[in-house]
Amino acid sequence: MTAGFRIIAGLGALVLALAIVWASMTAGQSLSEAVGWLVSEPWGVVSLIDLYLGFVLIAILIWVFEPNKLIALAFILPLPILGNVWSAVWLAWRLGRIAQARTAAKE
């Protein structure tokens, strides 16, 4: 079951990365123009708050479950730039370990 979730996380990262490349090639505007448009709309602001709350929550999980704090920082610090592609990479990589820790805690 964990393998399936790891595959979903990996595929999600790939699809999101491809969507980012597609948007950057076809949007006809710079990233700063796109962000300016986004923050000019109330739901755009809500979406950004939601996005950054997600970054904070996944950063907490990474910090708690990643045994090597240098690796944890290597995943946490780029989150605001690399986004959920990066968090999905970490989940695909570490989900097996998290599931093992959960199983061991039950015993």
Side-chain angles (χ1 to χ4, degrees), residues 5-92:
F5 289 134
R6 292 176 73 191
I7 290 169
I8 290 169
L11 288 174
L14 179 62
V15 168
L16 181 56
L18 291 172
I20 291 168
V21 169
W22 167 78
S24 66
M25 294 175 65
T26 60
Q29 61 189 24
S30 69
L31 182 59
S32 63
E33 290 171 330
V35 171
W37 169 82
L38 188 62
V39 298
S40 71
E41 298 292 328
W43 282 110
V45 173
V46 171
S47 295
L48 286 176
I49 292 169
D50 179 45
L51 177 70
Y52 279 88
L53 175 61
F55 292 162
V56 169
L57 295 176
I58 193 69
I60 291 168
L61 287 175
I62 291 170
W63 188 258
V64 168
F65 285 105
E66 184 58 56
N68 184 329
K69 297 308 177 197
L70 288 176
I71 291 175
L73 288 173
F75 276 92
I76 292 169
L77 294 177
L79 279 174
I81 297 165
L82 299 177
N84 284 315
V85 170
W86 200 230
S87 61
V89 167
W90 183 83
L91 279 171

